[in-house]
Every structure is written in C-alpha cells, then in structure tokens.
Amino acid sequence: MKTSEIRQRFLDFFAERGHLVQPSSSLLYNDPTLLFVNAGMVPMKPYFLGEEQPPARTLASVQKCVRTLDIEEVGKTTRHGTFFQMCGNFSFGEYFKSGAIQHAWDLITTAQDAGGLGFDPDTIWVTVLEGDDEAAGLWREIAGLPAERIQARGLLDNYWHMGVPGPGGPNSEIYVDRGPAYGPDGGPVVDEDRFLEIWNLVFMQYELSAVRAKDDFDVMRPLPKPQIDTGAGLERIAYLLQGVDNLYEIDEIYPVIGRAVELSGRQYGTDHDDDVRLRVVADHVRSALMLMADGVTPGNEARGYVLRRLLRRSVRAMRLLGVTDRVLPELLPVSRDLMGLSYPEVLQSWERISQAAYAEEDAFRRTLVAGTQLFEGAVRTARTEQRDTLAGEQVFQLHDTYGFPYDLTLEMAAEQGLQVDREGFAALMREQRDRAKADARAKKGAGQNLEAYSAVRADGETPFLGYTELLTETTVRAVVADGVSRPSAGEGETVELVLDRTPFYPESGGQDADGGEIIADGLRAEVVDVQRPVPGLITHRVRITFGEVAVGDTVRAQVDTTARMDSCRAHSATHVVHAALRQLLGPTAVQAGSYNRPGYLRFDFNATQALTPGLREEIEGVSNEAIRSDLEVTATEMPLQRAKDLGAMAMFGEKYGDVVRMVELGGPWSRELCGGTHVESSAQIGLLTLTAESSIGSGVRRVEAFVGADAFDHLARERALVAHLSDLLKVQPDQLTDRVERLVGQLRTVEKELAAVRGQQLLARGAEIAGAATDVAGTAFVGRTLEGVGGADLRTLATDVRGRLGERPGVVALAGVADGKVSLVVATTAAARERGLQAGTLVGVGAPVVGGRGGGKADIAQGGGTDVDAAPDALGAIERAVRAEAAGS
C-alpha cells in the first residue's frame, strides 16, 4: 500500500465517523515556542488550551512535521526522520478513552479490502500508564487483548504534556511485533525495535499548573471536558505495510536513494557507512524540499540555518560517497515528483525552491574548497607543534564558523594519519546546544504567563470595529498589569486594558499597531501598543496620564486618525510593491516578510540576485503608475479555498481560518489574504519612493520605501541636497552628475599617484628587508611586521623581496597593520615550492592566529584578521611551519 493511499485511508476512515478533516498546517506555524511544527497536535493547541473554539467537536488530520533534535541519528536507526507526517484524530469533549481505543483498533485491524490497514491483531501490543486500570480494561474489553500484551509503564513513557502549563494526561501507545528476526521477545518494555510504536493515544484529562520535566509537574484540576489527541506515524505504518526494513525504504523516500546509488556507483545494503550516508541523503533532500515549499530559505539563523544544514549534509554525504559534481539538480526533482502527489505546493513553488537549493549547493561547494585550505593549515600547525591530534577548538571552528562538515574533517584527518580531539569538539557542541536550549526555554517561558488573558478570552473575544469606526464607546472588561488581573489602575501607571469592542488595530500581518487615546470623564489614557496575546483577544497597553480606570467603566476609544490613514497608505503600498515585484521578476518573488508603519514600508521577498538600478526604477515606476491609476481597493470575506482559487497570495507560516479576508487592488492585479487596514483607492497613497534595497540573508532581498507625505518629505530633502551641492560646486543641477564624476576621476588619479609614491618608498626598503633574511632549515625566511601598510602595497613589496632572494629556496611572510586590521602576504620562490612550501598553505597557518582566514596560490597568497597584537605570533607560526616542512623534505 502506497504512503499516499495510507494517508487518504486514514482521513477517509475518520471522515466516515463524523470527524471534520483538517488540511495540514504550514511547517512554519505561528508559535514563538516552536521553530517548526513538531507534532500533529500543534495546530490544535489553541483548541486544547481553550483559546479558540474548534470548527467541530471531532477533527482528523495528517500534519507535516519536522524535528531537528535527532538530526545526527538520521540514517543510523530505522525510525529517525527529520520530516515526517503525523496522522491524528482529536476529540474536544465528544468521546474519550473508549472511543479513542475503539477507533484505533478498528482502523489498524480491519481488513484492507474493507477500508482498514489490515494489521494482524495477534501482533498488536499496547502500553498504558501505571495505575491506569481503566485504559487496560478497555483494551481487554474492546480489542480482546490478553493481559500479557498490555504493559504498564511510568510517566516518562506514558504521560504526555506540552512542556508548558496546560492540558495533559496519560497515554496509551500501540506497537506492532515485527517478529523474532528484529529482536528479543517480551514486548515494548524489552525491545522497541522489534516492537515498533505506530500510534499514541493521549487521554488529556488534567490541567497542569507547572511543568518542570517530562515526569515532574503539578496538576491544577481535572479538565471540564476530557479531550483526545492521537498521533500515528505515517512513515512507520508505511514501512510495516510495505514490507521494508526502515522508513528510508518506503515509496516516498527510496527512489532518492536509488538515484544517489546511480550517481555514486555504490551499492545499497552492502556497507553500513554507505547505507547511512544514502539514508541521510534521502531524508535530508525530502526534508529540505518540504521546508522550502513552506517558504524557508537557507540562512545563518533559526529556520534558515536548519535548512542550510540539511542541504549541506546532503551534499557532504554524496561527496563522501565519491560524487564531487553537483547533486541537488539530480536528487531534488526525484523527491519533488514523489511528494507533489500529496502536497501540490511543492509543484507550485518548484521554480523558487530549485533556484534557492541549487544556489546553496554552489555556495557550499565553494566553502568546501576554502575549508580544505583551512584544514590543511590546521594540519600544518599540529605537525609543527609535534601533535598527532587536531585540537577540538580548530575542528569546532571549521564546523561552526566556516560550515566545514565534521565527518569530512574526521575522514581527512584519518587520511593524514591524525586523530581529532572528539571530546573537546563534543564539549563545544554541547555548550552550543545548551545555549540553544536555554534560548528555546526563554522563548517558551515568554509565552507562559497567559492565564489572565485566557480567563478573559473564555468570556468572549474582542470584536474589531476599526475597518469602519475610529471612535467607539465601549466598556473595560479587564485591567492587566504584569500578567495579573486587577480591578483598577491609576494615574502614572502603564497597564493593559481589554475592552468589550475596539477600533484599535492590533499589531499583526506586518502592520504596526494603532495609536490614540482611551478617555472618559475623569480619565485620559494614551494607547502606546495594541496586541493579541491569545487568539481572539485584543489588549491595549496604555499610559494613564490623568484619572483612574476600573473594570466595568464605560469609556471612549479614539484612534489617531492621521496616523491610521498613514498606516493605510503604507499597508496598501506594500501590496502595490509586492504586485510590482511579481510583475517584473515573476512568481518566484514570493513575500518573505513585511513591516509597515505610518509613512514607511519594508518588504522582504525571495530573490537570488540584487536588483539593478534600472530594475529599481522600473519597480518604482510600476508602483507609482498603479497609484496614479486610482485602482479600487476592496476587502471581501470568503471561504479560504475560494480565495486560493482566485489566486490570492498568502503569507508563509500564517494561520488562516475557513473564512478569510481577501484584499484586492485593481482586481486580479493584486490579491492577498490580509487582515490589515487599507485605503479605498490607490490614489490615496499619493506617492511611493524606494529608498533602499539590500540582502537580509541567502536568497532574500529587502526593499524599503516612503509613502504619502513622508515620500514627498524624502524627495524634498533630496532636492535640498542637490541644490546645496549645485551651489557648492557652482554648477546647474542638471550638470551636477558630470561635475561629480570629474571630481571623482581627479581624486582617483591623485590616489594612484600617491599609491605609486608609497609603492616606490616601500620598494626602496625591499633590499633592506631581503637582506635581513634568516636561514630556517636551509630556507631563506623573511618575516616582518610593517605599520600602516595595507594589502595591495604589502603584496607588491612581498613580490619584490622574493625576487631579491634569487634562485635559492625562500619564503617571504609580511604582516601589515593598518586601520585596526592585519593583512598577511606569503610569497615563495620556485625552489621553495619544490621543497613543498606552498604559500596558500602557509598563509592558512598564520591567518587563524590573527583571528581570520586566508588562501591563494602556491607562489603567493593573502589573508588577514583583526587581532593586531597577534601579528608577530602569526609570523612565528608561519616560520615554524616552514621549519617543519623544510626539515621533513
């Protein structure tokens, strides 16, 4: 049975039993505690916490998930995958333990020709929480399982919670016995390879007030309505039903291994190390594909770093399999064709995905070349210091700073007859992971103190009236200070107010929050921020400048109308820029983020190259043409699928309900899902002027612009600057460009003349520097630190000094110190190169000493760093390397 068929069979089974099928959410779920969706229940979290009402009392889904904590285990076990799909059924007070057990048993044991999965009932084992006699009894009653196939385990294995205060409860896990060929008998408590878990039924029946660890928490109270959350691993079910040994061999993954085998000439199943590498390739290629389909681009932080790591590990694994050519253009399309069957977004975004992935591989191939030079420098240092082990710090720097793979370092070190300080490297990696976990805990903790907001939200949401009203009479529902509800607040305090309705727009969708005032007789409070701490609830952070406010007070909420109109202009202009970019760059210019406030916008989009000046002018021109055309701006609520059918653009990672708000400018020219505030027609924007374009990460560009009066002010400042320069240079404005170009040309001529004079002065010192050469194991060695000399002059001097050494073996190493930086240049004579002394290798020894890197050819190489005081030490390291190599030759 194909994986896609199992997926559909699961959904059909629960749909027939009254469950509302939910589409998979994006992997980039809008949750500050998570990097990616890592469990099938994550999109259901607001329902379990009571922050939102579920669309039905029973739901079912197959959710895309990514887990990165086990990335190093990928390929080594049968069950660790980075990307996986979690099948789940959920009940919000409709059924509980007996219903969950009955559904699970029916699906897994019903014959395949009757719509089930067809597992042999005699192979099924289950675990329950110690003391949960009810669950054990239901398994005996419903499934007829004998007592010996129902095993009790402790909290670490059979209790589930989210890691933060909220719902939790015991769980029951379902296992399939794969037979004696896979391990010893005795059930899951003995061996979890032979007895493979396929489904976890969570009986959420308590509200937890504090969570310290998996098995250390405080129970506050029973939930008013017990809930069911289940998770079944689609890939695990697939490889059991498809009769293969591990998840890497199922129909959605193995074809990538097959293509990698063709490219490498290796055989799968004959060598353990090769098999691990082939599985890594298959897993990581698929995982990277799915992340990019949901909008992630390679980068150096957070989600982008995870993607970069997956892509680079794939390339590295293929390199270890002997393939040095580009591999992603061969492997990624295979995974695209497999995953596109269930996830159409993969096919729709293919052009953008492939561009980003292939550019990342090219960049990594360049890194491998540079990393090899740094590795060789580390080897030289180790040999000079007569060590047979590469220091953990050097290996970590190669891995973490320069992206050079650890496994490749191990292999290359072994080829050189060297060991690696694995313990030192591991310790540094642990420190890095601990820092990451601490950061994650900090983020998680930041979202914990929501009890006051959730209590208010339980009484109803906050209606937003701001699309049509800017002044509203309303009632204070709650006063919150530092996460704690209070009855009132007084003059001079800054607190949060929850109103029973509001015209204030809360910060969201890239739009800044409204400002304004909340007033009443005897009260004046300045609104400084507006947020949604929990879904459906709007809070107003206010500074009380006069009087007192109390729960139940009737007040007037007044939005700053001027700032609101400027925000509308900026937000509508953001849509205009997005449409202009897609018109000129094509569909790959997908939004990657945005921010707008009164008079200003910035827009991030996917692109592999910078915008040319001409293209920037075109974007600005198309945008202002759309503004002048006075395009009608409309906002319409409609079903999500209807908006998608109309081509409405959605933001990656945003959560959309069944009914969405689609904003149009000029009909089909710009259609986006958006909850922000907008002008009524594009002419109200007034004017747009682009002010900047830059890179904010690999494959992501940013444009910034002023709009409306701020655009006019910006142009007025530029006009004043032009007038000042024209007056200063005594030319007309239209002659300014020519005059500045002539001045620049004259300055360059003078700079060249000065450089020539400096060069002559330096060359005059060449004889003196060459004369100071010392003998180092039969090699003439020149090492000199020069103050105030930069890279280009240093290179010229090094070449001159080398020429003065004649035909004897000679190495020239110069360190120039200028502007707080160190430049290193190493030059070698032909006779020195015959003795194995390579300039590129030698500069690679010295550059890390000054906190940098370097490289070049065998005859001359250049590098540098920022540690000025270490320049003499760098020359000393180079001299020791010369001595070691010359002595060895």
Side-chain angles (χ1 to χ4, degrees):
M1 191 184 298
K2 290 186 176 181
T3 305
S4 58
E5 183 182 348
I6 299 170
R7 180 182 187 275
Q8 193 58 51
R9 187 167 291 217
F10 180 92
L11 295 174
D12 291 344
F13 175 90
F14 283 101
E16 291 167 2
R17 286 153 182 79
H19 292 65
L20 179 64
V21 173
Q22 299 290 285
S24 174
S25 294
S26 166
L27 288 165
L28 316 185
Y29 193 70
N30 187 21
D31 186 327
T33 70
L34 296 173
L35 200 59
F36 304 109
V37 169
N38 61 0
M41 61 75 58
V42 168
M44 310 294 170
K45 188 174 171 181
Y47 309 145
F48 288 125
L49 291 173
E51 297 171 355
E52 295 183 28
Q53 288 297 313
R57 287 167 63 88
T58 55
L59 305 175
S61 68
V62 178
Q63 174 63 44
K64 298 179 291 186
C65 303
V66 163
R67 290 181 185 170
T68 59
L69 290 178
D70 295 329
I71 195 169
E72 299 293 345
E73 298 301 314
V74 168
K76 299 176 184 177
T77 72
T78 61
R79 58 185 185 271
H80 284 99
T82 310
F83 170 85
F84 60 96
Q85 299 159 86
M86 188 64 75
C87 308
N89 59 289
F90 309 91
S91 170
F92 305 97
E94 180 69 18
Y95 58 80
F96 195 46
K97 290 184 183 181
S98 61
I101 290 172
Q102 185 72 62
H103 285 320
W105 183 254
D106 289 347
L107 177 58
I108 63 178
T109 61
T110 296
Q112 292 185 8
D113 57 8
L117 298 179
F119 283 101
D120 181 353
D122 292 336
T123 65
I124 304 300
W125 291 61
V126 299
T127 62
V128 297
L129 180 68
E130 291 174 346
D132 191 353
D133 297 332
E134 180 187 6
L138 288 168
W139 278 114
R140 290 193 296 270
E141 175 188 335
I142 293 171
L145 286 180
E148 61 268 21
R149 298 217 312 265
I150 305 171
Q151 298 183 322
R153 306 180 85 169
L155 292 171
L156 281 174
D157 296 296
N158 279 80
Y159 200 95
W160 188 93
H161 52 69
M162 292 185 291
V164 296
N171 63 269
S172 179
E173 296 176 331
I174 304 173
Y175 294 79
V176 174
D177 181 0
R178 299 201 289 164
Y182 292 93
D185 201 356
V189 298
V190 173
D191 187 287
E192 289 199 5
D193 281 329
R194 171 175 171 173
F195 298 89
L196 188 73
E197 179 198 343
I198 61 168
W199 207 339
N200 185 12
L201 313 180
V202 181
F203 311 130
M204 289 208 276
Q205 58 193 102
Y206 302 108
E207 183 175 355
L208 310 183
S209 59
V211 177
R212 293 171 291 275
K214 181 75 162 57
D215 59 345
D216 184 13
F217 49 82
D218 296 331
V219 175
M220 183 189 308
R221 64 175 74 92
L223 290 174
K225 294 181 180 179
Q227 303 166 334
I228 288 294
D229 158 31
T230 82
L234 179 58
E235 285 79 4
R236 291 192 183 188
I237 294 173
Y239 82 74
L240 290 174
L241 293 182
Q242 292 174 16
V244 296
D245 286 339
N246 56 66
L247 67 87
Y248 310 104
E249 296 174 12
I250 67 173
D251 62 306
E252 282 191 349
I253 302 178
Y254 185 75
V256 178
I257 291 180
R259 183 63 183 133
V261 165
E262 293 175 0
L263 293 171
S264 66
R266 307 291 177 94
Q267 288 188 339
Y268 182 69
T270 60
D271 181 88
H272 173 74
D273 290 342
D274 282 354
D275 287 354
V276 170
R277 290 162 184 160
L278 288 166
R279 292 169 188 163
V280 166
V281 169
D283 171 271
H284 287 7
V285 164
R286 183 172 82 137
S287 301
L289 172 75
M290 300 308 293
L291 286 174
M292 288 188 286
D294 276 358
V296 184
T297 56
N300 289 327
E301 295 181 355
R303 293 164 172 163
Y305 179 73
V306 172
L307 173 58
R308 168 163 287 168
R309 190 178 179 204
L310 291 171
L311 289 170
R312 293 189 170 194
R313 278 173 60 91
S314 303
V315 175
R316 176 213 62 203
M318 289 299 291
R319 194 178 185 91
L320 294 177
L321 290 166
V323 183
T324 57
D325 294 333
R326 298 173 82 216
V327 295
L328 290 182
E330 299 291 337
L331 300 173
L332 207 58
V334 178
S335 192
R336 171 202 63 195
D337 295 341
L338 296 168
M339 300 308 296
L341 297 174
S342 297
Y343 301 101
E345 61 266 27
V346 171
L347 305 177
Q348 296 164 0
S349 304
W350 174 247
E351 185 178 355
R352 174 181 55 79
I353 292 170
S354 57
Q355 282 183 3
Y358 301 163
E360 180 63 21
E361 179 173 11
D362 291 340
F364 183 48
R365 286 164 60 83
R366 293 190 294 271
T367 294
L368 287 175
V369 173
T372 299
Q373 292 178 338
L374 292 166
F375 170 82
E376 290 172 350
V379 170
R380 295 284 183 191
T381 301
R383 287 180 171 164
T384 299
E385 298 175 356
Q386 297 184 338
R387 290 186 286 105
D388 62 358
T389 302
L390 294 183
E393 293 86 350
Q394 291 177 306
V395 178
F396 180 77
Q397 184 183 39
L398 277 167
H399 169 79
D400 190 60
T401 305
Y402 302 108
F404 200 69
Y406 175 60
D407 290 351
L408 199 57
T409 301
L410 291 177
E411 185 166 296
M412 291 172 63
E415 291 172 354
Q416 296 288 335
L418 295 173
Q419 301 294 319
V420 169
D421 178 10
R422 298 185 184 222
E423 291 185 2
F425 174 80
L428 291 168
M429 288 296 293
R430 281 195 299 272
E431 289 178 13
Q432 184 187 66
R433 281 194 293 269
D434 289 344
R435 287 192 297 271
K437 288 179 180 178
D439 181 60
R441 283 193 295 269
K443 290 180 180 178
K444 190 175 288 187
Q448 283 187 3
N449 194 17
L450 299 177
E451 188 174 341
Y453 307 114
S454 297
V456 179
R457 175 64 180 85
D459 294 331
E461 62 181 23
T462 310
F464 173 65
L465 309 180
Y467 293 133
T468 57
E469 298 181 27
L470 298 181
L471 174 62
T472 302
E473 187 172 280
T474 182
T475 302
V476 178
R477 289 177 57 191
V479 178
V480 180
D482 297 323
V484 178
S485 290
R486 294 169 47 180
S488 63
E491 188 171 321
E493 290 189 275
T494 298
V495 296
E496 291 173 273
L497 302 183
V498 179
L499 308 177
D500 70 346
R501 54 182 184 166
T502 182
F504 285 93
Y505 183 81
E507 180 183 358
S508 58
Q511 181 174 332
D512 213 355
D514 278 335
E517 289 184 319
I518 294 175
I519 55 179
D521 292 340
L523 169 70
R524 185 170 298 276
E526 178 190 359
V527 177
V528 295
D529 193 16
V530 189
Q531 296 290 334
R532 281 193 178 98
V534 296
L537 192 74
I538 297 175
T539 62
H540 310 73
R541 188 168 186 80
V542 301
R543 185 183 300 112
I544 302 175
T545 58
F546 174 73
E548 183 179 90
V549 63
V551 175
D553 284 355
T554 299
V555 297
R556 295 187 301 281
Q558 170 70 64
V559 175
D560 182 331
T561 56
T562 301
R564 163 64 81 82
M565 189 59 196
D566 287 343
S567 288
C568 291
R569 292 187 178 98
H571 202 153
S572 296
T574 304
H575 287 218
V576 169
V577 170
H578 189 189
L581 284 165
R582 292 178 64 81
Q583 177 178 320
L584 295 170
L585 300 182
T588 59
V590 176
Q591 180 176 355
S594 68
Y595 170 72
N596 52 80
R597 55 174 167 75
Y600 166 85
L601 71 87
R602 67 171 186 244
F603 186 81
D604 305 334
F605 60 99
N606 295 121
T608 56
Q609 294 181 333
L611 300 178
T612 64
L615 192 53
R616 284 181 57 176
E617 288 184 10
E618 282 191 79
I619 293 167
E620 191 175 76
V622 169
S623 298
N624 281 304
E625 177 60 32
I627 291 169
R628 287 193 299 272
S629 297
D630 199 19
L631 303 176
E632 183 182 11
V633 180
T634 60
T636 309
E637 290 193 349
M638 63 181 65
L640 176 60
Q641 191 56 51
R642 168 66 175 159
K644 288 182 176 179
D645 292 342
L646 289 171
M649 299 295 298
M651 179 64 184
F652 286 117
E654 286 292 319
K655 181 182 177 183
Y656 297 100
D658 294 332
V659 177
V660 295
R661 184 172 183 261
M662 184 179 75
V663 174
E664 292 182 290
L665 283 84
W669 188 70
S670 170
R671 284 178 173 151
E672 298 193 34
L673 302 186
C674 179
T677 63
H678 291 272
V679 296
E680 295 178 353
S681 66
S682 62
Q684 290 180 329
I685 297 172
L687 177 68
L688 180 145
T689 178
L690 291 180
T691 59
E693 189 268 345
S694 60
S695 169
I696 61 167
S698 177
V700 181
R701 308 293 301 182
R702 168 175 291 173
V703 292
E704 299 176 71
F706 287 120
V707 296
D710 291 80
F712 282 106
D713 290 344
H714 173 75
L715 293 176
R717 289 192 298 271
E718 288 200 336
R719 184 176 63 181
L721 177 61
V722 169
H724 177 67
L725 291 174
S726 298
D727 183 60
L728 191 65
L729 298 175
K730 308 302 182 186
V731 295
Q732 293 298 315
D734 60 353
Q735 300 171 332
L736 187 60
T737 301
D738 290 339
R739 180 67 176 129
V740 171
E741 286 178 350
R742 285 200 302 272
L743 283 175
V744 170
Q746 292 168 4
L747 285 172
R748 286 174 178 166
T749 299
V750 171
E751 286 175 351
K752 288 180 181 179
E753 293 172 352
L754 287 173
V757 171
R758 285 199 307 269
Q760 290 172 3
Q761 291 174 338
L762 278 173
L763 292 178
R765 300 177 60 185
E768 176 261 325
I769 294 173
T774 59
D775 184 273
V776 176
T779 299
F781 179 76
V782 175
R784 181 70 67 90
T785 300
L786 301 166
E787 295 289 339
V789 181
D793 292 336
L794 204 65
R795 191 180 183 97
T796 300
L797 181 59
T799 303
D800 178 74
V801 173
R802 178 182 61 186
R804 295 176 185 273
L805 296 180
E807 297 181 359
R808 56 179 167 162
V811 173
V812 179
L814 303 181
V817 178
D819 300 324
K821 296 179 181 179
V822 181
S823 298
L824 288 176
V825 174
V826 177
T828 57
T829 64
R833 293 193 292 277
E834 290 175 1
R835 302 183 67 181
L837 293 165
Q838 307 289 316
T841 301
L842 293 172
V843 83
V845 171
V849 177
V850 292
R853 54 177 134 176
K857 298 179 180 179
D859 61 335
I860 190 163
Q862 193 165 337
T866 57
D867 190 348
V868 173
D869 295 334
D873 296 332
L875 296 180
I878 294 171
E879 181 178 354
R880 289 192 295 273
V882 170
R883 188 182 304 278
E885 182 64 36
S889 63

